[in-house]
Amino acid sequence: FCYNNLIKLKSNTSESSMVQNIDMNLILKYDAVDDFKIYNKFQINYINYICNLQKAFSKIKISVQYGLPINIFFNTDDDLLNVRFFLAPKVEDDCDDNNYSDDIEEIFNSMK
């Protein structure tokens, strides 16, 4: 979730939940579309493994689009080492589109 001075990431699993706030002072650049909402589900343990690399890299680029794999790109200040991950979103076959959009709105409203 992108706000004026904050990016907020939220994760829920059956065992726990996590919210991560990223201060805009730590971000070099970001692009967002006003009033555009994307809701994807990803396997949290893979996100955790990938994000552990942030300790070794000075720059991280994350690209998220609905229905597409999340793209996480790490590189060093001197550009000598680059690592890119693509993680596909989870797909739910038994999803009713009408109820699904209501669930998404509830999630977005709970983040405000």
Side-chain angles (χ1 to χ4, degrees):
F1 302 90
C2 295
Y3 297 101
N4 292 335
N5 59 352
L6 179 73
I7 292 180
K8 193 173 197 176
L9 305 173
K10 182 177 181 181
S11 169
N12 288 321
T13 66
S14 58
E15 297 86 31
S16 65
S17 67
M18 177 186 86
V19 174
Q20 179 67 48
N21 296 324
I22 302 172
D23 189 329
M24 294 305 275
N25 294 328
L26 300 173
I27 297 177
L28 299 174
K29 175 183 166 183
Y30 85 99
D31 293 320
V33 177
D34 290 339
D35 297 326
F36 186 73
K37 298 175 183 177
I38 296 176
Y39 178 75
N40 284 328
K41 289 184 175 184
F42 297 97
Q43 194 70 24
I44 190 67
N45 57 329
Y46 295 128
I47 296 285
N48 186 40
Y49 298 144
I50 293 169
C51 289
N52 280 328
L53 284 176
Q54 61 87 20
K55 299 169 189 168
F57 291 89
S58 55
K59 298 178 186 173
I60 302 170
K61 178 181 177 183
I62 300 173
S63 176
V64 180
Q65 296 181 39
Y66 180 73
L68 294 177
I70 188 171
N71 176 352
I72 304 173
F73 179 74
F74 296 90
N75 72 328
T76 57
D77 282 331
D78 54 12
D79 289 328
L80 291 177
L81 181 61
N82 299 316
V83 177
R84 183 181 305 263
F85 290 93
F86 293 93
L87 182 60
K90 293 169 92 177
V91 177
E92 296 180 9
D93 292 333
D94 60 347
C95 178
D96 179 13
D97 286 339
N98 293 333
N99 292 336
Y100 189 62
S101 62
D102 293 340
D103 293 342
I104 293 171
E105 280 302 316
E106 183 180 321
I107 291 167
F108 276 97
N109 291 333
S110 72
M111 292 296 291
K112 295 180 180 178

